[in-house]
Amino acid sequence: MVTGWHRDTWIEVDLACIRTNIKNEQKILPKTTDIWAVVKANAYGHGMLEVAKAAKEAGAKGFCVAILDEALALRAAGFSEEPILVLGAVRAKDASLAAEKRISVTLFDPSWLEQVTETDVPLRLHLKIDTGMGRLGVRSQEEIKQAAEKIAADPRFELEGVFTHFATADQKDTAYYDTQLQRFREGVACLPKKPAYIHVANSATSLLHDQADFNVVRFGVSMYGMSPSDEIKDILPFELKPALSLKTRMVQVKELHPGDHVSYGATYEAKANEWVATLPIGYADGIIRHYSGFSFLVDGQKVPIVGRVCMDQLIVRLPREYPVGTVVTLIGQSAEQAILADEIARHLDTINYEVTCLLSDRVPRIYKENNHF
Ligand SMILES: Cc1ncc(COP(=O)(O)O)c(C=O)c1O
């Protein structure tokens, strides 16, 4: 995708926030538990390589991605030593490529092993146990034993890890979580030999539950400074620092008169004389049409979107005339006010993860440290 370096719309990512979140996380973990930074999906929209670099500097010991290509991109960018785990499915025909690059793969079905044809070096596998998420993973103790036996009997494979993923770790009620954890412990007990890495935690789990029995956490959303859910915001062990801001500049400012309409469908009609600004950002950038009715910030004041969001532009109503070029904050701090991804998520009836992941590669990412470029 072409990135819009010649358009005044940009994302600022404060890498100091990412480092602080990692350091604070490390403080609450046992000394023997490592952080693996989850940088899939372009680091939840923040930019994979820059985040990976900052995470490594702050003490992250490995990375998790969703697809093999993301792992390959990390290796190609010089992350040559760190463990990288692909959390999603890897095709059996790509096993040798993963093995050659020392990329660890999630094993969720023992029959997958039979489909692997060649590997010159042993492929590192993390056995995923589906303890109740119902997504990837082996479910029965038989399957766990079968997978372990097949791996032990075949020099092309090495069982490097075993893990699970919780469905409700971001809720206060721990009943389902407790059941999943118990199933995981029983599953791990079936393995004749414990692998090097035993891990269960995403952000929510690592923030709320003791990790003494596990030596890796897969730290995603909270590394970026976002709460895993609204529900657990008030019980988080430290303050999260949101790293991402999204800004643009007004490209045209005009006065509407009563009866004037705005945008496709002419759905918005001015009731009085009012000032509006056209912003060079739209749904192709990730500001989807459901943002309609939401307000952004100019000098800490709310400016509501009027009319429909277009592919590349949208229109906001201003409290007064502003000069063309005035900055509008869509996510982040503006004077004394801030818009968090959480607030947008509530408006869109989604989660903060989706808000930042939706920001497309057309928007350039600019990196800063402690609010300085
Ligand atoms: C298997 C797995 N582990 C860890 C994570 C990271 O989760 P979070 O971003 O909530 O920390 C994810 C994210 O979706 C995941 O799928």
Side-chain angles (χ1 to χ4, degrees):
M1 181 177 261
V2 174
T3 302
W5 292 104
H6 296 87
R7 172 182 72 159
D8 277 336
T9 293
W10 69 100
I11 289 167
E12 293 173 10
V13 178
D14 196 332
L15 295 172
C17 295
I18 288 177
R19 284 182 235 277
T20 302
N21 295 326
I22 290 178
K23 290 195 169 137
N24 285 335
E25 166 82 355
Q26 196 79 70
K27 283 186 205 148
I28 64 161
L29 292 176
K31 292 263 172 305
T32 49
T33 306
D34 289 342
I35 294 174
W36 287 14
V38 183
V39 293
K40 61 191 172 118
N42 200 22
Y44 296 34
H46 293 63
M48 183 173 75
L49 299 181
E50 292 79 2
V51 168
K53 188 164 171 280
K56 181 178 165 180
E57 284 161 8
K61 294 288 192 299
F63 301 106
C64 295
V65 293
I67 63 174
L68 181 58
D69 304 78
E70 293 169 334
L72 293 169
L74 285 172
R75 284 282 185 254
F79 296 95
S80 46
E81 299 305 323
E82 300 76 15
I84 304 176
L85 172 61
V86 182
L87 299 168
V90 170
R91 301 181 301 194
K93 65 180 178 183
D94 296 324
S96 61
L97 177 58
E100 181 202 323
K101 300 285 181 188
R102 286 167 293 98
I103 292 166
S104 308
V105 162
T106 295
L107 177 69
F108 52 89
D109 177 353
S111 70
W112 183 90
L113 297 168
E114 285 143 32
Q115 297 163 39
V116 173
T117 46
E118 276 308 304
T119 58
D120 291 336
V121 281
L123 175 65
R124 300 167 188 201
L125 299 164
H126 287 227
L127 179 64
K128 175 108 184 254
I129 305 180
D130 175 10
T131 55
M133 178 73 180
R135 204 167 60 175
L136 292 183
V138 292
R139 293 176 81 101
S140 68
Q141 302 204 346
E142 287 67 46
E143 275 182 302
I144 296 170
K145 285 181 200 152
Q146 200 192 356
E149 275 165 24
K150 281 187 180 179
I151 294 167
D154 194 329
R156 292 174 305 165
F157 304 121
E158 176 196 330
L159 185 63
E160 186 188 51
V162 58
F163 74 113
T164 195
H165 190 52
F166 294 111
T168 62
D170 62 350
Q171 298 173 14
K172 284 181 177 166
D173 182 343
T174 64
Y176 197 77
Y177 168 89
D178 294 337
T179 305
Q180 282 197 260
L181 184 59
Q182 181 58 24
R183 285 186 192 146
F184 182 69
R185 289 192 193 285
E186 288 163 9
V188 173
C190 295
L191 294 174
K193 189 165 167 268
K194 301 285 164 285
Y197 301 114
I198 303 182
H199 48 112
V200 299
N202 57 359
S203 296
T205 311
S206 70
L207 291 166
L208 303 182
H209 300 278
D210 181 33
Q211 293 302 304
D213 291 345
F214 309 112
N215 52 8
V216 163
V217 301
R218 306 181 304 268
F219 195 44
V221 76
S222 297
M223 172 173 71
Y224 305 102
M226 297 188 283
S227 175
S229 70
D230 279 343
E231 182 175 328
I232 61 167
K233 261 187 171 171
D234 62 335
I235 52 167
L236 295 177
F238 57 87
E239 191 196 342
L240 298 170
K241 304 259 180 232
L244 183 143
S245 307
L246 173 63
K247 296 180 182 171
T248 189
R249 286 181 190 275
M250 299 174 194
V251 287
Q252 191 172 21
V253 175
K254 59 180 73 161
E255 190 173 27
L256 299 181
H257 304 292
D260 286 348
H261 293 86
V262 164
S263 194
Y264 288 119
T267 54
Y268 179 77
E269 182 179 325
K271 295 280 177 279
N273 287 344
E274 55 192 49
W275 288 96
V276 294
T278 301
L279 309 182
I281 186 165
Y283 61 77
D285 301 294
I287 304 302
I288 58 173
R289 282 166 52 123
H290 278 105
Y291 271 75
S292 290
F294 193 73
S295 296
F296 300 128
L297 292 170
V298 174
D299 283 341
Q301 294 184 76
K302 286 193 166 180
V303 293
I305 298 173
V306 290
R308 290 185 184 154
V309 173
C310 311
M311 188 185 292
D312 318 298
Q313 298 170 80
L314 60 84
I315 299 121
V316 290
R317 191 176 62 231
L318 305 174
R320 60 173 173 82
E321 184 179 10
Y322 275 91
V324 164
T326 303
V327 171
V328 180
T329 301
L330 293 88
I331 302 176
Q333 194 76 31
S334 167
E336 300 306 308
Q337 299 299 317
I339 299 173
L340 293 177
D342 301 353
E343 202 182 321
I344 297 170
R346 280 191 289 276
H347 178 82
L348 298 178
D349 197 17
T350 182
I351 50 174
N352 47 18
Y353 297 66
E354 199 175 27
V355 172
T356 60
C357 281
L358 276 176
L359 299 174
S360 80
D361 282 354
R362 195 166 77 168
V363 186
R365 273 79 175 155
I366 296 167
Y367 295 90
K368 55 185 187 176
E369 291 283 345
N370 284 320
N371 231 2
H372 293 293
F373 293 100

